[in-house]
Each structure stands twice: as C-alpha cells, then as structure tokens.
Amino acid sequence: MATVNSLMMKVIRTEPKRTAEEEPMPAPQRVTRAALTAAARTIAERDGIDAVTISAVAAAVGVRAPSLYKHVTHRHDLLRLIADDAARELGDDIAALAGSAADPATALTAIGHAFRAFSARSPRAASLLFSGAALSAEPASESMSALTATLLDAVRASTPGDPLPAARTLTAWAHGFCTMEQAGAFRLGGDVDEAFEFGLATLVAALTDLRAAPETPRRETVHDSGRLQAEAAGRRGNTRL
C-alpha cells in the first residue's frame, strides 16, 4: 500500500512544468507612470498612434492587460501621457534655446528650430500636441501650461503688447510646416530646409518689425472682452495657445 509520502512524490514528479508564458508577471504596483509613458511613446513612434493600445503597452511593461487598468482606464489615457510628456520635453527645449538667445529675433528663430527638431525625432508625439479634442488626448494642464508660459515669455520680448497673437502665429506656422514635412506632403521638389528657413525668417522679421511700428488702437469686440476676462484671471484655466 502506497504511503502518503510516496503519493506526494508521485504528484510532484508528474506535475507539468510551467511554460514561460505561464510564469507570474510583475505586480501592477511596480509599473510606474514613467514606464507607461516611455512604452507608449516607443510604440507610437515605431508602429503609429493606432498601435498604442492597453494590451500593447501592458506587454511592453511586462504585465497583463487587466493589471494596466489600475493605472489607466482607456487608451486615450495613454495618448494623454504621450502628449503630456511631449509638452514637457518641447517646453524644456524651447526654454533652453530661447533663454540663451542674444536678441528677440534669435529667440523666435530658436523656437522655430526647436519645433522642427522635436517633430523630426518624435513625429507621432508631436502630432498629439495641438490636436487632441477628438482623441481626448489633451495634454495634462501642468505640462501644457508650462509650455504655453515658456512660449509666451519667449515671444513677449519680441512683440509689443499682448504676446498671445504672435505666439499663436509662430506656433501655428511651425507646427503646420513640421506636420506637413513629416507626412511627406511637400512633393513639388525643391529644398525643404531652404523653405523652412525662408518661412521662419519671413515670419520672425514680420513679428519683430511690430516692435518698431506704432500700436494701432482698435474697437473692442466681444471676442476681446472674453479674452480680457481670461487675462484678468491670469489665464489659469488655459492649457493651449
């Protein structure tokens, strides 16, 4: 008659070994925001925005998809992480370049070059910076507010009065040009670098020339009234230009 010990040994010997896929994965609390952000950005730049999914990011950080829901509730939260990180990185770039500029024109030129350099190295992340309403991928207010403040500070020395119109103009042109460039939309030949420098120099000259031009008074509109109210509140609620 088999003893208890011999039966236990038989169970141990016959128990199948776990495969690599069946091995326990790290506990979800070990996954950090920085790790999720890095994984999401890597997937976005390598495979495209559509490839950023809960399951893909979970696999990249070494947890099962259900565990990731303890940190994010939807893939749009992952896109927010990317956009937030992009805003922080671009803001740092602009602050460093514009802060070391010797004059206003050089500072504005540095902003344009910062946009293009960032767009070249992280085109997918850059695409989320100023387009997110439909995707619910708006950058978190802290990072985007910091980027907005950096842009306004850099432009303020270059233009008279309110720097917001000039900052919007420069940002819209730089982001638009870089978006078209990364999409391969310039198909008529010619030198794209030359086109960028021409456009940037023309825009910078126009903005800096405003400093010497007398300010023309204009009648306040309903739009102006709303904007002035936002200024009075310190633009605390604004996260975009």
Side-chain angles (χ1 to χ4, degrees):
M1 185 174 181
T3 65
V4 173
N5 287 338
S6 64
L7 287 173
M8 290 179 63
M9 292 298 295
K10 184 177 181 180
V11 170
I12 292 173
R13 284 195 299 269
T14 58
E15 184 178 355
K17 292 184 178 180
R18 288 179 175 177
T19 65
E21 291 78 7
E22 294 171 329
E23 287 298 323
M25 302 187 84
Q29 57 266 26
R30 295 178 58 185
V31 178
T32 64
R33 177 188 173 95
L36 290 180
T37 302
R41 279 191 69 168
T42 297
I43 293 169
E45 298 301 343
R46 184 188 64 212
D47 304 322
I49 295 296
D50 289 343
V52 180
T53 63
I54 293 287
S55 58
V57 174
V61 297
V63 299
R64 293 187 176 89
S67 298
L68 212 62
Y69 287 106
K70 296 181 181 293
H71 303 275
V72 294
T73 58
H74 196 279
R75 72 178 294 268
H76 291 168
D77 295 332
L78 296 173
L79 300 186
R80 269 193 209 96
L81 289 179
I82 298 174
D84 181 53
D85 197 50
R88 176 199 55 76
E89 186 176 328
L90 179 58
D92 289 345
D93 291 347
I94 290 175
L97 291 172
S100 62
D103 56 78
T106 304
L108 294 180
T109 302
I111 292 174
H113 287 155
F115 266 100
R116 194 179 187 208
F118 179 76
S119 182
R121 71 174 181 267
S122 298
R124 311 291 189 181
S127 72
L128 292 175
L129 271 172
F130 302 106
S131 61
L135 294 172
S136 297
E138 182 178 359
S141 60
E142 184 177 348
S143 293
M144 197 62 194
S145 291
L147 172 59
T148 300
T150 299
L151 284 167
L152 291 172
D153 287 344
V155 172
R156 186 171 284 109
S158 308
T159 58
D162 184 5
L164 184 58
R168 280 176 170 162
T169 301
L170 179 58
T171 300
W173 177 82
H175 183 66
F177 188 102
C178 294
T179 299
M180 291 182 67
E181 180 180 21
Q182 292 305 316
F186 297 128
R187 300 178 181 179
L188 297 181
D191 190 328
V192 176
D193 290 339
E194 181 182 357
F196 181 84
E197 295 301 334
F198 170 81
L200 182 58
T202 301
L203 186 57
V204 167
L207 292 176
T208 52
D209 281 350
L210 291 175
R211 301 180 71 202
E215 200 168 351
T216 304
R218 60 189 181 90
R219 188 172 57 190
E220 183 177 307
T221 65
V222 173
H223 172 74
D224 293 327
S225 178
R227 183 170 59 80
L228 291 173
Q229 289 178 9
E231 289 175 353
R235 293 196 178 104
R236 287 188 295 270
N238 291 344
T239 60
R240 292 186 182 276
L241 291 172

